[in-house]
Amino acid sequence: QQQVKQSPQSLIVQKGGISIINCAYENTAFDYFPWYQQFPGKGPALLIAIRPDVSEKKEGRFTISFNKSAKQFSLHIMDSQPGDSATYFCAAAYNQGGKLIFGQGTELSVKP
Amino acid sequence: NAGVTQTPKFQVLKTGQSMTLQCAQDMNHNSMYWYRQDPGMGLRLIYYSASEGTTDKGEVPNGYNVSRLNKREFSLRLESAAPSQTSVYFCASSGGLRGTQYFGPGTRLLVL
């Protein structure tokens, strides 16, 4: 059973546009929601993370929006650049420990 | 400071063969993890070790065993490889169960 559902599976955006990736979770015990970025042939790396006591977190061009009542969170990439082309994973963790449950991943391609 | 290292980078096995994937970290982290990545499935946790001397099953442990050799090293063993174990395997470490996970470069495994 997939506890974290991510969409879309792939996304093509023009340079300068906004990329939006959505995730939904089921378990209300999750209390930590990171996003990881993965370039081809590399391991994932933490991009940005949020806890459910805030509705938004921004770091540069990357913003997480969090809706606790809807059990959804999303990643917005403003002014998308070709260098942002990568696979993005949302994840969630239980408060009992650090096991991360990952979404299925979104392959983002930013066209010049 | 190499971070998380994994060996080998690539391996081809025949069904029924065994092998051990090696992982080491030089960040003095307590927690270490093994994931597998398959298209459309995201990253799925196989086993994790919250601290030296402890290991626990993750989401997909069947067919695998692990050893936390010391604080630095965490190995994953396939006793009798099956084609369903064809995947990319990632090792990760974190300073604690709630900390950021740092991933290695991955091992690409093909089981024929």
Side-chain angles (χ1 to χ4, degrees):
Chain A
Q1 183 181 3
Q2 189 71 35
Q3 297 191 58
V4 179
K5 295 183 179 180
Q6 182 173 346
S7 62
Q9 189 171 355
S10 63
L11 181 62
I12 299 175
V13 174
Q14 292 296 316
K15 179 183 176 181
I18 302 173
S19 304
I20 302 174
I21 304 170
N22 300 299
C23 284
Y25 64 97
E26 300 171 1
N27 194 327
T28 55
F30 290 142
D31 70 343
Y32 174 64
F33 302 90
W35 285 88
Y36 280 77
Q37 179 187 54
Q38 183 182 30
F39 293 105
K42 304 291 186 183
L46 179 67
L47 182 64
I48 187 173
I50 196 168
R51 298 195 185 276
D53 52 344
V54 296
S55 60
E56 186 175 282
K57 183 173 182 179
K58 183 176 181 179
E59 290 185 1
R61 296 185 293 108
F62 300 90
T63 300
I64 300 178
S65 297
F66 187 82
N67 186 329
K68 189 174 182 178
S69 61
K71 293 189 287 186
Q72 295 176 346
F73 58 111
S74 59
L75 177 69
H76 296 235
I77 306 174
M78 310 300 289
D79 187 25
S80 298
Q81 299 296 313
D84 297 331
S85 297
T87 299
Y88 293 81
F89 292 96
C90 64
Y94 295 99
N95 56 11
Q96 298 96 324
K99 291 190 291 184
L100 288 175
I101 309 298
F102 283 87
Q104 298 93 324
T106 297
E107 189 173 349
L108 172 66
S109 177
V110 181
K111 300 298 185 185
Chain B
N1 189 338
V4 179
T5 57
Q6 294 183 237
T7 55
K9 286 185 170 55
F10 180 72
Q11 184 72 45
V12 179
L13 291 178
K14 294 181 180 178
T15 296
Q17 288 185 317
S18 62
M19 79 163 295
T20 299
L21 283 65
Q22 305 287 352
C23 173
Q25 53 91 7
D26 62 1
M27 296 176 281
N28 200 35
H29 284 166
N30 288 319
S31 303
M32 298 186 73
Y33 312 82
W34 275 105
Y35 293 90
R36 59 178 290 173
Q37 182 177 12
D38 303 289
M41 302 290 288
L43 293 120
R44 292 180 293 170
L45 183 65
I46 304 171
Y47 271 93
Y48 71 105
S49 172
S51 61
E52 186 179 354
T54 68
T55 60
D56 278 294
K57 295 178 180 179
E59 184 183 356
V60 288
N62 291 343
Y64 306 95
N65 285 301
V66 291
S67 294
R68 183 74 183 266
L69 304 171
N70 47 55
K71 191 172 186 179
R72 289 187 64 248
E73 299 172 288
F74 189 38
S75 63
L76 178 71
R77 183 161 178 83
L78 287 70
E79 291 291 351
S80 179
S84 61
Q85 294 178 304
T86 292
S87 187
V88 181
Y89 291 85
F90 288 99
C91 177
S93 71
S94 69
L97 290 181
R98 304 295 301 279
T100 299
Q101 291 189 20
Y102 296 86
F103 285 78
T107 293
R108 188 173 297 272
L109 177 65
L110 175 62
V111 182
L112 302 175

